[in-house]
mmCIF file of all heavy atoms in Angstrom:
data_model
loop_
_atom_site.group_PDB
_atom_site.id
_atom_site.type_symbol
_atom_site.label_atom_id
_atom_site.label_comp_id
_atom_site.label_asym_id
_atom_site.label_seq_id
_atom_site.Cartn_x
_atom_site.Cartn_y
_atom_site.Cartn_z
ATOM 1 N N MET Y 263 -10.221 -3.121 8.536
ATOM 2 C CA MET Y 263 -10.149 -3.857 7.276
ATOM 3 C C MET Y 263 -10.065 -2.870 6.126
ATOM 4 O O MET Y 263 -10.716 -1.829 6.130
ATOM 5 C CB MET Y 263 -11.385 -4.740 7.134
ATOM 6 C CG MET Y 263 -11.350 -5.635 5.916
ATOM 7 S SD MET Y 263 -12.734 -6.804 5.997
ATOM 8 C CE MET Y 263 -12.555 -7.531 4.392
ATOM 9 N N ALA Y 264 -9.233 -3.225 5.146
ATOM 10 C CA ALA Y 264 -9.074 -2.352 3.987
ATOM 11 C C ALA Y 264 -10.401 -2.193 3.236
ATOM 12 O O ALA Y 264 -11.213 -3.097 3.177
ATOM 13 C CB ALA Y 264 -8.005 -2.922 3.061
ATOM 14 N N ASP Y 265 -10.571 -1.027 2.669
ATOM 15 C CA ASP Y 265 -11.806 -0.691 1.954
ATOM 16 C C ASP Y 265 -11.428 -0.213 0.559
ATOM 17 O O ASP Y 265 -10.682 0.758 0.403
ATOM 18 C CB ASP Y 265 -12.546 0.406 2.719
ATOM 19 C CG ASP Y 265 -13.906 0.710 2.109
ATOM 20 O OD1 ASP Y 265 -14.117 0.436 0.908
ATOM 21 O OD2 ASP Y 265 -14.766 1.230 2.845
ATOM 22 N N VAL Y 266 -11.936 -0.892 -0.439
ATOM 23 C CA VAL Y 266 -11.604 -0.564 -1.827
ATOM 24 C C VAL Y 266 -11.967 0.883 -2.162
ATOM 25 O O VAL Y 266 -11.342 1.499 -3.029
ATOM 26 C CB VAL Y 266 -12.263 -1.568 -2.803
ATOM 27 C CG1 VAL Y 266 -13.782 -1.375 -2.830
ATOM 28 C CG2 VAL Y 266 -11.648 -1.457 -4.196
ATOM 29 N N ALA Y 267 -12.915 1.434 -1.464
ATOM 30 C CA ALA Y 267 -13.315 2.823 -1.720
ATOM 31 C C ALA Y 267 -12.221 3.803 -1.313
ATOM 32 O O ALA Y 267 -12.217 4.951 -1.762
ATOM 33 C CB ALA Y 267 -14.613 3.150 -0.976
ATOM 34 N N ASN Y 268 -11.280 3.328 -0.463
ATOM 35 C CA ASN Y 268 -10.217 4.198 0.037
ATOM 36 C C ASN Y 268 -8.838 3.789 -0.482
ATOM 37 O O ASN Y 268 -7.823 4.186 0.092
ATOM 38 C CB ASN Y 268 -10.211 4.173 1.568
ATOM 39 C CG ASN Y 268 -11.499 4.684 2.145
ATOM 40 O OD1 ASN Y 268 -12.100 5.620 1.633
ATOM 41 N ND2 ASN Y 268 -11.957 4.061 3.221
ATOM 42 N N LYS Y 269 -8.769 2.995 -1.522
ATOM 43 C CA LYS Y 269 -7.466 2.533 -2.021
ATOM 44 C C LYS Y 269 -6.701 3.685 -2.653
ATOM 45 O O LYS Y 269 -7.284 4.603 -3.240
ATOM 46 C CB LYS Y 269 -7.646 1.386 -3.008
ATOM 47 C CG LYS Y 269 -8.274 1.770 -4.330
ATOM 48 C CD LYS Y 269 -8.581 0.558 -5.207
ATOM 49 C CE LYS Y 269 -7.352 0.073 -5.931
ATOM 50 N NZ LYS Y 269 -7.673 -1.033 -6.898
ATOM 51 N N TYR Y 270 -5.377 3.601 -2.528
ATOM 52 C CA TYR Y 270 -4.530 4.629 -3.131
ATOM 53 C C TYR Y 270 -4.450 4.423 -4.644
ATOM 54 O O TYR Y 270 -4.381 3.289 -5.118
ATOM 55 C CB TYR Y 270 -3.127 4.590 -2.524
ATOM 56 C CG TYR Y 270 -3.045 5.179 -1.154
ATOM 57 C CD1 TYR Y 270 -2.686 4.398 -0.058
ATOM 58 C CD2 TYR Y 270 -3.318 6.526 -0.948
ATOM 59 C CE1 TYR Y 270 -2.612 4.956 1.219
ATOM 60 C CE2 TYR Y 270 -3.242 7.079 0.317
ATOM 61 C CZ TYR Y 270 -2.894 6.290 1.399
ATOM 62 O OH TYR Y 270 -2.823 6.840 2.655
ATOM 63 N N PRO Y 271 -4.418 5.510 -5.394
ATOM 64 C CA PRO Y 271 -4.434 5.388 -6.848
ATOM 65 C C PRO Y 271 -3.170 4.778 -7.443
ATOM 66 O O PRO Y 271 -3.191 4.328 -8.587
ATOM 67 C CB PRO Y 271 -4.620 6.837 -7.321
ATOM 68 C CG PRO Y 271 -4.177 7.689 -6.185
ATOM 69 C CD PRO Y 271 -4.474 6.899 -4.944
ATOM 70 N N GLU Y 272 -2.068 4.744 -6.666
ATOM 71 C CA GLU Y 272 -0.826 4.175 -7.195
ATOM 72 C C GLU Y 272 -0.870 2.649 -7.306
ATOM 73 O O GLU Y 272 -0.023 2.051 -7.975
ATOM 74 C CB GLU Y 272 0.370 4.541 -6.304
ATOM 75 C CG GLU Y 272 0.521 6.001 -6.035
ATOM 76 C CD GLU Y 272 -0.115 6.371 -4.720
ATOM 77 O OE1 GLU Y 272 -1.328 6.144 -4.543
ATOM 78 O OE2 GLU Y 272 0.603 6.888 -3.868
ATOM 79 N N ASN Y 273 -1.793 2.011 -6.606
ATOM 80 C CA ASN Y 273 -1.870 0.557 -6.647
ATOM 81 C C ASN Y 273 -2.072 0.054 -8.074
ATOM 82 O O ASN Y 273 -2.720 0.714 -8.893
ATOM 83 C CB ASN Y 273 -3.059 0.071 -5.802
ATOM 84 C CG ASN Y 273 -2.868 0.276 -4.319
ATOM 85 O OD1 ASN Y 273 -2.091 -0.408 -3.682
ATOM 86 N ND2 ASN Y 273 -3.589 1.250 -3.761
ATOM 87 N N VAL Y 274 -1.518 -1.125 -8.334
ATOM 88 C CA VAL Y 274 -1.756 -1.745 -9.631
ATOM 89 C C VAL Y 274 -3.218 -2.177 -9.723
ATOM 90 O O VAL Y 274 -3.872 -2.376 -8.695
ATOM 91 C CB VAL Y 274 -0.840 -2.976 -9.835
ATOM 92 C CG1 VAL Y 274 0.619 -2.566 -9.901
ATOM 93 C CG2 VAL Y 274 -1.060 -4.014 -8.760
ATOM 94 N N PRO Y 275 -3.725 -2.328 -10.935
ATOM 95 C CA PRO Y 275 -5.090 -2.860 -11.078
ATOM 96 C C PRO Y 275 -5.160 -4.277 -10.519
ATOM 97 O O PRO Y 275 -4.171 -5.012 -10.552
ATOM 98 C CB PRO Y 275 -5.317 -2.857 -12.596
ATOM 99 C CG PRO Y 275 -4.325 -1.896 -13.148
ATOM 100 C CD PRO Y 275 -3.134 -1.963 -12.234
ATOM 101 N N GLY Y 276 -6.303 -4.663 -10.013
ATOM 102 C CA GLY Y 276 -6.474 -6.010 -9.486
ATOM 103 C C GLY Y 276 -7.046 -6.000 -8.089
ATOM 104 O O GLY Y 276 -7.405 -4.952 -7.559
ATOM 105 N N LYS Y 277 -7.071 -7.173 -7.480
ATOM 106 C CA LYS Y 277 -7.785 -7.284 -6.212
ATOM 107 C C LYS Y 277 -6.937 -6.915 -4.993
ATOM 108 O O LYS Y 277 -7.466 -6.818 -3.894
ATOM 109 C CB LYS Y 277 -8.363 -8.689 -6.045
ATOM 110 C CG LYS Y 277 -7.356 -9.811 -5.973
ATOM 111 C CD LYS Y 277 -8.112 -11.139 -5.828
ATOM 112 C CE LYS Y 277 -7.156 -12.309 -5.693
ATOM 113 N NZ LYS Y 277 -7.885 -13.589 -5.514
ATOM 114 N N TYR Y 278 -5.636 -6.736 -5.166
ATOM 115 C CA TYR Y 278 -4.791 -6.391 -4.022
ATOM 116 C C TYR Y 278 -4.449 -4.914 -4.039
ATOM 117 O O TYR Y 278 -4.133 -4.347 -5.096
ATOM 118 C CB TYR Y 278 -3.513 -7.224 -4.037
ATOM 119 C CG TYR Y 278 -3.780 -8.697 -3.935
ATOM 120 C CD1 TYR Y 278 -3.577 -9.532 -5.032
ATOM 121 C CD2 TYR Y 278 -4.251 -9.246 -2.751
ATOM 122 C CE1 TYR Y 278 -3.843 -10.892 -4.936
ATOM 123 C CE2 TYR Y 278 -4.522 -10.606 -2.654
ATOM 124 C CZ TYR Y 278 -4.315 -11.417 -3.743
ATOM 125 O OH TYR Y 278 -4.587 -12.759 -3.648
ATOM 126 N N TYR Y 279 -4.513 -4.294 -2.893
ATOM 127 C CA TYR Y 279 -4.272 -2.853 -2.824
ATOM 128 C C TYR Y 279 -3.972 -2.441 -1.386
ATOM 129 O O TYR Y 279 -4.239 -3.179 -0.438
ATOM 130 C CB TYR Y 279 -5.502 -2.073 -3.325
ATOM 131 C CG TYR Y 279 -6.758 -2.345 -2.540
ATOM 132 C CD1 TYR Y 279 -7.089 -1.602 -1.417
ATOM 133 C CD2 TYR Y 279 -7.604 -3.395 -2.910
ATOM 134 C CE1 TYR Y 279 -8.232 -1.877 -0.684
ATOM 135 C CE2 TYR Y 279 -8.748 -3.678 -2.183
ATOM 136 C CZ TYR Y 279 -9.062 -2.917 -1.076
ATOM 137 O OH TYR Y 279 -10.186 -3.209 -0.341
ATOM 138 N N VAL Y 280 -3.394 -1.266 -1.236
ATOM 139 C CA VAL Y 280 -3.237 -0.610 0.070
ATOM 140 C C VAL Y 280 -4.201 0.564 0.095
ATOM 141 O O VAL Y 280 -4.355 1.281 -0.899
ATOM 142 C CB VAL Y 280 -1.794 -0.110 0.266
ATOM 143 C CG1 VAL Y 280 -1.666 0.674 1.563
ATOM 144 C CG2 VAL Y 280 -0.820 -1.293 0.270
ATOM 145 N N ASP Y 281 -4.846 0.749 1.232
ATOM 146 C CA ASP Y 281 -5.779 1.870 1.345
ATOM 147 C C ASP Y 281 -5.284 2.876 2.393
ATOM 148 O O ASP Y 281 -4.171 2.773 2.907
ATOM 149 C CB ASP Y 281 -7.195 1.396 1.633
ATOM 150 C CG ASP Y 281 -7.428 1.023 3.086
ATOM 151 O OD1 ASP Y 281 -6.439 0.945 3.856
ATOM 152 O OD2 ASP Y 281 -8.587 0.808 3.465
ATOM 153 N N GLU Y 282 -6.096 3.835 2.692
ATOM 154 C CA GLU Y 282 -5.703 4.968 3.541
ATOM 155 C C GLU Y 282 -5.432 4.592 4.988
ATOM 156 O O GLU Y 282 -4.993 5.443 5.756
ATOM 157 C CB GLU Y 282 -6.793 6.050 3.481
ATOM 158 C CG GLU Y 282 -6.898 6.673 2.091
ATOM 159 C CD GLU Y 282 -8.057 7.646 1.974
ATOM 160 O OE1 GLU Y 282 -8.843 7.766 2.936
ATOM 161 O OE2 GLU Y 282 -8.168 8.294 0.920
ATOM 162 N N GLN Y 283 -5.654 3.351 5.366
ATOM 163 C CA GLN Y 283 -5.355 2.934 6.733
ATOM 164 C C GLN Y 283 -3.878 2.604 6.936
ATOM 165 O O GLN Y 283 -3.458 2.335 8.070
ATOM 166 C CB GLN Y 283 -6.202 1.714 7.099
ATOM 167 C CG GLN Y 283 -7.690 1.994 7.148
ATOM 168 C CD GLN Y 283 -8.465 0.766 7.567
ATOM 169 O OE1 GLN Y 283 -8.415 0.358 8.718
ATOM 170 N NE2 GLN Y 283 -9.162 0.160 6.617
ATOM 171 N N CYS Y 284 -3.092 2.602 5.871
ATOM 172 C CA CYS Y 284 -1.669 2.285 5.988
ATOM 173 C C CYS Y 284 -0.984 3.250 6.961
ATOM 174 O O CYS Y 284 -1.126 4.463 6.855
ATOM 175 C CB CYS Y 284 -1.003 2.383 4.620
ATOM 176 S SG CYS Y 284 0.787 2.152 4.675
ATOM 177 N N ILE Y 285 -0.219 2.662 7.911
ATOM 178 C CA ILE Y 285 0.502 3.475 8.894
ATOM 179 C C ILE Y 285 2.001 3.518 8.598
ATOM 180 O O ILE Y 285 2.792 3.929 9.448
ATOM 181 C CB ILE Y 285 0.260 2.963 10.329
ATOM 182 C CG1 ILE Y 285 0.690 1.490 10.449
ATOM 183 C CG2 ILE Y 285 -1.210 3.136 10.722
ATOM 184 C CD1 ILE Y 285 0.700 0.974 11.888
ATOM 185 N N ASP Y 286 2.378 3.061 7.398
ATOM 186 C CA ASP Y 286 3.765 3.163 6.950
ATOM 187 C C ASP Y 286 4.712 2.421 7.880
ATOM 188 O O ASP Y 286 5.809 2.889 8.175
ATOM 189 C CB ASP Y 286 4.157 4.643 6.837
ATOM 190 C CG ASP Y 286 5.393 4.840 5.961
ATOM 191 O OD1 ASP Y 286 5.670 3.969 5.119
ATOM 192 O OD2 ASP Y 286 6.080 5.873 6.129
ATOM 193 N N CYS Y 287 4.293 1.235 8.331
ATOM 194 C CA CYS Y 287 5.105 0.489 9.294
ATOM 195 C C CYS Y 287 6.267 -0.258 8.638
ATOM 196 O O CYS Y 287 7.142 -0.760 9.314
ATOM 197 C CB CYS Y 287 4.223 -0.504 10.060
ATOM 198 S SG CYS Y 287 3.692 -1.923 9.077
ATOM 199 N N ASP Y 288 6.212 -0.431 7.318
ATOM 200 C CA ASP Y 288 7.302 -1.045 6.545
ATOM 201 C C ASP Y 288 7.258 -2.565 6.498
ATOM 202 O O ASP Y 288 8.092 -3.187 5.846
ATOM 203 C CB ASP Y 288 8.660 -0.570 7.053
ATOM 204 C CG ASP Y 288 9.765 -0.699 6.006
ATOM 205 O OD1 ASP Y 288 9.448 -0.631 4.805
ATOM 206 O OD2 ASP Y 288 10.928 -0.895 6.381
ATOM 207 N N LEU Y 289 6.346 -3.189 7.187
ATOM 208 C CA LEU Y 289 6.313 -4.659 7.234
ATOM 209 C C LEU Y 289 6.118 -5.273 5.849
ATOM 210 O O LEU Y 289 6.815 -6.218 5.482
ATOM 211 C CB LEU Y 289 5.209 -5.124 8.184
ATOM 212 C CG LEU Y 289 5.092 -6.656 8.336
ATOM 213 C CD1 LEU Y 289 6.382 -7.241 8.894
ATOM 214 C CD2 LEU Y 289 3.910 -7.010 9.209
ATOM 215 N N CYS Y 290 5.195 -4.766 5.089
ATOM 216 C CA CYS Y 290 4.934 -5.361 3.768
ATOM 217 C C CYS Y 290 6.127 -5.176 2.840
ATOM 218 O O CYS Y 290 6.476 -6.085 2.081
ATOM 219 C CB CYS Y 290 3.669 -4.754 3.155
ATOM 220 S SG CYS Y 290 3.716 -2.971 2.914
ATOM 221 N N ARG Y 291 6.764 -4.031 2.896
ATOM 222 C CA ARG Y 291 7.919 -3.780 2.019
ATOM 223 C C ARG Y 291 9.106 -4.642 2.405
ATOM 224 O O ARG Y 291 9.874 -5.083 1.557
ATOM 225 C CB ARG Y 291 8.268 -2.292 2.036
ATOM 226 C CG ARG Y 291 7.109 -1.403 1.581
ATOM 227 C CD ARG Y 291 7.526 0.051 1.456
ATOM 228 N NE ARG Y 291 8.040 0.631 2.664
ATOM 229 C CZ ARG Y 291 7.335 1.392 3.525
ATOM 230 N NH1 ARG Y 291 6.048 1.636 3.307
ATOM 231 N NH2 ARG Y 291 7.897 1.891 4.576
ATOM 232 N N GLU Y 292 9.273 -4.894 3.717
ATOM 233 C CA GLU Y 292 10.343 -5.758 4.178
ATOM 234 C C GLU Y 292 10.064 -7.222 3.804
ATOM 235 O O GLU Y 292 10.970 -7.956 3.445
ATOM 236 C CB GLU Y 292 10.487 -5.654 5.701
ATOM 237 C CG GLU Y 292 11.180 -4.388 6.162
ATOM 238 C CD GLU Y 292 12.680 -4.448 5.906
ATOM 239 O OE1 GLU Y 292 13.266 -5.516 6.126
ATOM 240 O OE2 GLU Y 292 13.243 -3.440 5.458
ATOM 241 N N THR Y 293 8.814 -7.618 3.897
ATOM 242 C CA THR Y 293 8.434 -9.013 3.673
ATOM 243 C C THR Y 293 8.329 -9.350 2.195
ATOM 244 O O THR Y 293 8.730 -10.437 1.775
ATOM 245 C CB THR Y 293 7.080 -9.299 4.360
ATOM 246 O OG1 THR Y 293 7.171 -8.923 5.732
ATOM 247 C CG2 THR Y 293 6.693 -10.764 4.253
ATOM 248 N N ALA Y 294 7.814 -8.451 1.408
ATOM 249 C CA ALA Y 294 7.579 -8.708 -0.017
ATOM 250 C C ALA Y 294 7.986 -7.482 -0.839
ATOM 251 O O ALA Y 294 7.134 -6.801 -1.419
ATOM 252 C CB ALA Y 294 6.111 -9.055 -0.241
ATOM 253 N N PRO Y 295 9.289 -7.229 -0.889
ATOM 254 C CA PRO Y 295 9.749 -6.005 -1.563
ATOM 255 C C PRO Y 295 9.458 -5.965 -3.062
ATOM 256 O O PRO Y 295 9.439 -4.889 -3.652
ATOM 257 C CB PRO Y 295 11.262 -6.010 -1.295
ATOM 258 C CG PRO Y 295 11.603 -7.423 -0.990
ATOM 259 C CD PRO Y 295 10.399 -7.993 -0.316
ATOM 260 N N ALA Y 296 9.212 -7.107 -3.666
ATOM 261 C CA ALA Y 296 8.877 -7.116 -5.094
ATOM 262 C C ALA Y 296 7.425 -6.685 -5.333
ATOM 263 O O ALA Y 296 7.061 -6.349 -6.452
ATOM 264 C CB ALA Y 296 9.105 -8.499 -5.681
ATOM 265 N N ASN Y 297 6.627 -6.705 -4.263
ATOM 266 C CA ASN Y 297 5.196 -6.430 -4.422
ATOM 267 C C ASN Y 297 4.750 -5.111 -3.808
ATOM 268 O O ASN Y 297 3.660 -4.628 -4.133
ATOM 269 C CB ASN Y 297 4.383 -7.564 -3.794
ATOM 270 C CG ASN Y 297 4.604 -8.881 -4.493
ATOM 271 O OD1 ASN Y 297 4.816 -8.934 -5.698
ATOM 272 N ND2 ASN Y 297 4.595 -9.950 -3.738
ATOM 273 N N PHE Y 298 5.542 -4.561 -2.907
ATOM 274 C CA PHE Y 298 5.148 -3.318 -2.241
ATOM 275 C C PHE Y 298 6.242 -2.270 -2.384
ATOM 276 O O PHE Y 298 7.427 -2.569 -2.230
ATOM 277 C CB PHE Y 298 4.885 -3.548 -0.751
ATOM 278 C CG PHE Y 298 3.678 -4.391 -0.471
ATOM 279 C CD1 PHE Y 298 3.802 -5.768 -0.347
ATOM 280 C CD2 PHE Y 298 2.424 -3.822 -0.329
ATOM 281 C CE1 PHE Y 298 2.702 -6.565 -0.097
ATOM 282 C CE2 PHE Y 298 1.310 -4.607 -0.066
ATOM 283 C CZ PHE Y 298 1.448 -5.986 0.046
ATOM 284 N N LYS Y 299 5.832 -1.067 -2.670
ATOM 285 C CA LYS Y 299 6.751 0.068 -2.726
ATOM 286 C C LYS Y 299 6.206 1.169 -1.828
ATOM 287 O O LYS Y 299 5.053 1.161 -1.429
ATOM 288 C CB LYS Y 299 6.877 0.596 -4.159
ATOM 289 C CG LYS Y 299 7.436 -0.413 -5.147
ATOM 290 C CD LYS Y 299 8.856 -0.823 -4.811
ATOM 291 C CE LYS Y 299 9.365 -1.872 -5.801
ATOM 292 N NZ LYS Y 299 10.570 -2.543 -5.307
ATOM 293 N N ARG Y 300 7.083 2.156 -1.540
ATOM 294 C CA ARG Y 300 6.667 3.267 -0.684
ATOM 295 C C ARG Y 300 6.452 4.525 -1.509
ATOM 296 O O ARG Y 300 7.282 4.874 -2.353
ATOM 297 C CB ARG Y 300 7.722 3.545 0.379
ATOM 298 C CG ARG Y 300 7.306 4.631 1.352
ATOM 299 C CD ARG Y 300 8.320 4.753 2.495
ATOM 300 N NE ARG Y 300 7.760 5.554 3.568
ATOM 301 C CZ ARG Y 300 8.046 6.855 3.752
ATOM 302 N NH1 ARG Y 300 8.876 7.467 2.948
ATOM 303 N NH2 ARG Y 300 7.480 7.525 4.745
ATOM 304 N N ASN Y 301 5.376 5.204 -1.252
ATOM 305 C CA ASN Y 301 5.172 6.547 -1.770
ATOM 306 C C ASN Y 301 5.832 7.484 -0.762
ATOM 307 O O ASN Y 301 5.302 7.707 0.336
ATOM 308 C CB ASN Y 301 3.670 6.847 -1.895
ATOM 309 C CG ASN Y 301 3.405 8.262 -2.386
ATOM 310 O OD1 ASN Y 301 4.039 9.212 -1.932
ATOM 311 N ND2 ASN Y 301 2.447 8.401 -3.283
ATOM 312 N N ASP Y 302 7.007 7.995 -1.101
ATOM 313 C CA ASP Y 302 7.771 8.791 -0.143
ATOM 314 C C ASP Y 302 7.102 10.123 0.173
ATOM 315 O O ASP Y 302 7.228 10.636 1.286
ATOM 316 C CB ASP Y 302 9.182 9.043 -0.684
ATOM 317 C CG ASP Y 302 10.019 7.769 -0.713
ATOM 318 O OD1 ASP Y 302 9.831 6.911 0.177
ATOM 319 O OD2 ASP Y 302 10.850 7.636 -1.612
ATOM 320 N N ASP Y 303 6.424 10.694 -0.781
ATOM 321 C CA ASP Y 303 5.733 11.967 -0.514
ATOM 322 C C ASP Y 303 4.527 11.754 0.385
ATOM 323 O O ASP Y 303 4.258 12.553 1.292
ATOM 324 C CB ASP Y 303 5.292 12.614 -1.832
ATOM 325 C CG ASP Y 303 6.478 13.071 -2.676
ATOM 326 O OD1 ASP Y 303 7.528 13.395 -2.074
ATOM 327 O OD2 ASP Y 303 6.357 13.091 -3.906
ATOM 328 N N GLY Y 304 3.791 10.673 0.136
ATOM 329 C CA GLY Y 304 2.574 10.425 0.904
ATOM 330 C C GLY Y 304 2.816 9.681 2.205
ATOM 331 O O GLY Y 304 1.983 9.702 3.100
ATOM 332 N N GLY Y 305 3.984 8.989 2.315
ATOM 333 C CA GLY Y 305 4.272 8.249 3.533
ATOM 334 C C GLY Y 305 3.401 7.032 3.700
ATOM 335 O O GLY Y 305 2.879 6.773 4.784
ATOM 336 N N HIS Y 306 3.264 6.248 2.630
ATOM 337 C CA HIS Y 306 2.480 5.026 2.708
ATOM 338 C C HIS Y 306 2.946 4.065 1.630
ATOM 339 O O HIS Y 306 3.678 4.449 0.716
ATOM 340 C CB HIS Y 306 0.993 5.315 2.558
ATOM 341 C CG HIS Y 306 0.625 5.904 1.219
ATOM 342 N ND1 HIS Y 306 0.493 5.153 0.073
ATOM 343 C CD2 HIS Y 306 0.413 7.182 0.848
ATOM 344 C CE1 HIS Y 306 0.175 5.944 -0.943
ATOM 345 N NE2 HIS Y 306 0.120 7.191 -0.494
ATOM 346 N N SER Y 307 2.527 2.823 1.753
ATOM 347 C CA SER Y 307 2.854 1.798 0.759
ATOM 348 C C SER Y 307 1.771 1.703 -0.292
ATOM 349 O O SER Y 307 0.661 2.208 -0.122
ATOM 350 C CB SER Y 307 3.001 0.439 1.452
ATOM 351 O OG SER Y 307 4.106 0.423 2.315
ATOM 352 N N TYR Y 308 2.145 1.008 -1.383
ATOM 353 C CA TYR Y 308 1.151 0.622 -2.396
ATOM 354 C C TYR Y 308 1.613 -0.668 -3.050
ATOM 355 O O TYR Y 308 2.789 -1.035 -2.974
ATOM 356 C CB TYR Y 308 0.942 1.744 -3.429
ATOM 357 C CG TYR Y 308 2.179 2.153 -4.194
ATOM 358 C CD1 TYR Y 308 2.483 1.593 -5.430
ATOM 359 C CD2 TYR Y 308 3.055 3.102 -3.655
ATOM 360 C CE1 TYR Y 308 3.623 1.972 -6.132
ATOM 361 C CE2 TYR Y 308 4.207 3.471 -4.352
ATOM 362 C CZ TYR Y 308 4.479 2.913 -5.581
ATOM 363 O OH TYR Y 308 5.616 3.289 -6.272
ATOM 364 N N VAL Y 309 0.699 -1.331 -3.694
ATOM 365 C CA VAL Y 309 0.992 -2.608 -4.345
ATOM 366 C C VAL Y 309 1.518 -2.352 -5.752
ATOM 367 O O VAL Y 309 0.903 -1.621 -6.527
ATOM 368 C CB VAL Y 309 -0.270 -3.496 -4.415
ATOM 369 C CG1 VAL Y 309 0.031 -4.814 -5.144
ATOM 370 C CG2 VAL Y 309 -0.797 -3.772 -3.029
HETATM 371 S S1 SF4 C 102 3.399 -0.288 5.491
HETATM 372 FE FE1 SF4 C 102 2.454 -2.134 4.600
HETATM 373 S S2 SF4 C 102 2.161 -3.538 6.331
HETATM 374 FE FE2 SF4 C 102 2.487 -1.475 7.166
HETATM 375 S S3 SF4 C 102 0.443 -0.624 7.434
HETATM 376 FE FE3 SF4 C 102 1.167 0.019 5.410
HETATM 377 S S4 SF4 C 102 0.383 -1.546 3.999
HETATM 378 FE FE4 SF4 C 102 0.237 -2.393 6.062
#
């Protein structure tokens, strides 16, 4: 389960976020491309 203590700083403010457990599987970006982007340097998504 995601932990707010481990959220990535690129996330927008608010209750939704991606944390360090992201495995860069691309599902969220494919499903909701308006809400998720990829940090190409870090290899993970953020909201
Ligand atoms: S890419 Fe998106 S769906 Fe996949 S693990 Fe990361 S946050 Fe979850």
Side-chain angles (χ1 to χ4, degrees):
M263 185 171 173
D265 186 337
V266 70
N268 298 322
K269 69 187 279 186
Y270 284 117
E272 307 96 301
N273 291 288
V274 295
K277 63 181 182 178
Y278 299 109
Y279 60 89
V280 175
D281 79 350
E282 294 174 355
Q283 295 182 71
C284 175
I285 58 171
D286 199 23
C287 73
D288 203 28
L289 181 61
C290 59
R291 301 186 302 262
E292 284 285 319
T293 306
N297 296 327
F298 292 91
K299 298 297 178 195
R300 184 173 194 260
N301 178 316
D302 291 327
D303 293 331
H306 63 79
S307 294
Y308 59 94
V309 178

